[in-house]
Amino acid sequence: MAAISDLNLVASGKVREIYELGDELLIVASNRISTYDAVHPNPIPDKGAVLTAISTFWFEQTGDLVPNHLISVTDGVPSGVRGRGMVVKRLKMLPVEAVVRGYITGSGWKDYQKTGTVSGVELPAGLRESDQLPEPIFTPSTKADLGHDEPIDFERAAELIGDRELTERLRAVSIALYQHAASHARTRGIILADTKFEFGLDADGTLTLGDEALTPDSSRFWPADSYEPGHGQPSFDKQIARDWSASTGWDKLPPAPEIPEEIVTRTRERYIEAYERLTDSSFADWTERTQAAD
C-alpha cells in the first residue's frame, strides 16, 4: 500500500486534500477548522474522522436513492490517514452546489426578509426565522474558487450545467436525499434544517453524489428538544468556535487567531455527539472499523 507521501496531490482545500490513486482518488479530511473563510492555526482533534464517518454512514444509507462516489474507507487507504480517508470514483463535477432547505434560516432567511423569496422560490408571507417550510426547496448556488458561493435560481443553474433535464434530475434527487436524511435525523432527536450536496457525472455519465454528505460542515443540524422558531437555533457544528471567534474582536481577515483549548475541546465533543446521535453508534466503533483493517 502506498504511503500518503508517495501520492500525487491533486487539490487542497480548507478542509480536504485529494490525491491520485491510480484510476481512483483518495480524499482525506483534515482536522483543520475555519471560521469566516479563514483557517485557524490549531486543529480540532478527530474532526476529519468524524466528517468521513458521517459521510460514509449517509453514502451507505442512500445508495438506493442515487449512486455515490464511495469505494472504500479501508482498502487502498494509507494507514496514516485511516479513519479520515476514503477511496472514491473520479467524477466530472457539476458547476453548482445543490442546496436544499427545509427551514428558513441563515442566508435564506436574510433573502426572504428582503424579497419574500429564496433563489427565486416564492415563500408564504409571515414566516419567522427558523420556521419549517411547507416543503423542502432547492436553492442552488455557484461554486466560488475564492470568497463565498452565490445563490442562484433554477434557471441559472440549468444554464451553468448546460442540461435542463439533468438539472431537474439534480433537483429531484437532492430533495429526496434531504427528505430521507431529515426523516432519519428526526428519529435521533435532530432537525436537519438545510444541507448542501455536490454531484458529478461518472465515466458512464450517471449522476453521482460526491464530496461529503450530510455532515455538520455541509448541513445545519439542530437539537429537536430545544427547537423554537422566531430566532436562530444552536447547531451541531463549529458554531462554538464561530461564536468564540466573533467575540474576540478579530476582523475576520487572515490570519485567523489560535483557538483556546477549552473551545477546541467543546467543538470536538460537539462533532462527535453529532456522529453518535445520527448513527446510533460509538465513535470508537468507527475507529475500530477503519484501524483494524490492516
Side-chain angles (χ1 to χ4, degrees):
M1 182 182 298
I4 195 77
S5 58
D6 297 330
L7 301 178
N8 182 43
L9 179 65
V10 177
S12 181
K14 284 181 291 188
V15 175
R16 289 173 176 77
E17 276 83 45
I18 303 176
Y19 298 87
E20 286 187 322
L21 202 63
D23 294 332
E24 298 157 352
L25 296 173
L26 173 70
I27 297 181
V28 179
S30 75
N31 292 331
R32 295 189 296 271
I33 188 168
S34 65
T35 60
Y36 303 106
D37 289 328
V39 177
H40 292 270
N42 51 330
I44 305 298
D46 294 318
K47 176 176 177 281
V50 168
L51 296 180
T52 302
I54 291 178
S55 287
T56 300
F57 170 78
W58 291 116
F59 286 144
E60 293 173 347
Q61 286 274 317
T62 62
D64 59 333
L65 294 176
V66 63
N68 61 68
H69 69 164
L70 177 64
I71 296 174
S72 178
V73 294
T74 53
D75 295 344
V77 179
S79 58
V81 294
R82 285 275 177 84
R84 298 189 293 116
M86 57 173 63
V87 178
V88 302
K89 300 176 185 177
R90 290 178 184 261
L91 302 177
K92 180 182 179 183
M93 302 305 292
L94 299 182
V96 300
E97 303 274 10
V99 180
V100 181
R101 302 176 188 272
Y103 293 73
I104 187 71
T105 187
S107 62
W109 168 243
K110 293 178 182 177
D111 290 345
Y112 171 76
Q113 288 179 292
K114 294 175 184 175
T115 67
T117 67
V118 181
S119 292
V121 179
E122 290 192 19
L123 297 176
L127 292 176
R128 299 163 296 173
E129 183 177 8
S130 304
D131 263 337
Q132 185 173 12
L133 299 174
E135 59 184 12
I137 59 173
F138 178 68
T139 61
S141 69
T142 60
K143 287 184 180 180
D145 293 330
L146 296 172
H148 297 283
D149 299 333
E150 296 295 333
I152 54 177
D153 61 15
F154 176 85
E155 296 301 329
R156 179 58 179 151
E159 288 177 9
L160 290 172
I161 291 171
D163 185 327
R164 188 179 185 84
E165 184 177 345
L166 176 59
T167 309
E168 291 173 348
R169 165 79 172 148
L170 176 69
R171 176 171 59 186
V173 165
S174 298
I175 290 175
L177 284 169
Y178 169 85
Q179 291 173 321
H180 173 91
S183 177
H184 172 84
R186 265 292 190 174
T187 70
R188 307 297 304 150
I190 293 175
I191 292 170
L192 174 57
D194 55 36
T195 194
K196 175 179 69 175
F197 300 111
E198 290 201 39
F199 287 86
L201 303 177
D202 69 7
D204 297 323
T206 300
L207 184 67
T208 304
L209 178 61
D211 194 52
E212 62 182 325
L214 297 153
T215 72
D217 275 15
S218 64
S219 315
R220 283 189 179 90
F221 291 112
W222 297 336
D225 58 4
S226 62
Y227 171 63
E228 183 182 65
H231 53 78
Q233 310 295 309
S235 57
F236 288 96
D237 62 4
K238 57 189 176 185
Q239 177 183 340
I240 294 169
R242 191 185 299 113
D243 289 348
W244 168 81
S245 66
S247 72
T248 62
W250 169 48
D251 63 6
K252 302 179 183 177
L253 298 174
E258 183 167 332
I259 302 173
E261 188 59 35
E262 184 231 346
I263 302 299
V264 168
T265 299
R266 288 172 56 204
T267 301
R268 175 184 179 274
E269 290 171 350
R270 197 67 165 159
Y271 272 88
I272 290 176
E273 181 185 359
Y275 170 76
E276 293 186 337
R277 287 184 62 172
L278 285 168
T279 67
D280 196 22
S281 61
S282 167
F283 182 61
D285 294 341
W286 171 256
T287 302
E288 182 178 355
R289 170 184 172 179
T290 53
Q291 299 302 325
D294 283 327

